[in-house]
Amino acid sequence: MAGSFSFPGRPLNHPDFPRHDLLRFAEEPDPRFRFPALDDPASCAALVERFSHDPDVQVRGRAAVDPRLSPASAVRLAGDAGHSVQHSARQNPALPSDVLVSLLLDEHSAEDAAQNPSIPTAVMHRVITLAAIPEREPGR
């Protein structure tokens, strides 16, 4: 349910979209109907965990951004085969700080991990310090 080019995210991000009674879609075979179930106020962490194992990349991606995701599932999804799932999981605050630091040190995941709001303060200061040091040219 990514919406369209003219209205990305629609209908889910529309302010009048009903949030109640979406759990009834959790068992739908079509993933476009399944993943909005997490937006139901009555949904729970168990559904997030179940969706984190879903065969569909969009459903796993929706679970990866959910704040109820367990730390273990955040770590698993940070290495998911789907790049959009990896991107979302690397930004999830449930990601343990030691894993987050290792993602920050990896050039393939650093950009995603740097957007995680739970970066430890000491690590954030170190990254800022390193970013402020101008790169030396080779041979100088």
Side-chain angles (χ1 to χ4, degrees):
M1 267 205 193
S4 67
F5 290 118
S6 55
F7 293 103
R10 294 293 166 110
L12 291 178
N13 68 357
H14 191 280
D16 295 329
F17 186 77
R19 302 278 177 220
H20 295 279
D21 204 25
L22 294 174
L23 279 176
R24 64 190 165 121
F25 298 113
E27 304 303 324
E28 284 290 323
D30 186 335
R32 292 175 299 162
F33 288 98
R34 201 166 45 249
F35 81 83
L38 292 177
D39 290 322
D40 190 309
S43 71
C44 62
L47 184 61
V48 175
E49 290 303 312
R50 191 176 103 209
F51 279 12
S52 77
H53 293 278
D54 197 273
D56 184 79
V57 70
Q58 283 187 326
V59 176
R60 287 193 317 277
R62 176 60 186 84
V65 300
D66 198 291
R68 299 169 291 184
L69 187 67
S70 72
S73 290
V75 171
R76 179 175 43 79
L77 292 177
D80 192 89
H83 293 290
S84 62
V85 177
Q86 289 176 9
H87 172 77
S88 297
R90 290 170 180 168
Q91 296 177 22
N92 192 310
L95 207 57
S97 59
D98 61 324
V99 174
L100 182 55
V101 169
S102 68
L103 291 170
L104 285 165
L105 295 172
D106 182 338
E107 67 182 67
H108 297 101
S109 58
E111 188 173 338
D112 291 339
Q115 297 176 49
N116 191 309
S118 66
I119 297 174
T121 305
V123 173
M124 197 177 312
H125 286 290
R126 179 76 175 134
V127 169
I128 291 169
T129 301
L130 289 173
I133 299 172
E135 274 192 53
R136 292 185 178 172
E137 292 181 28
R140 285 192 160 199

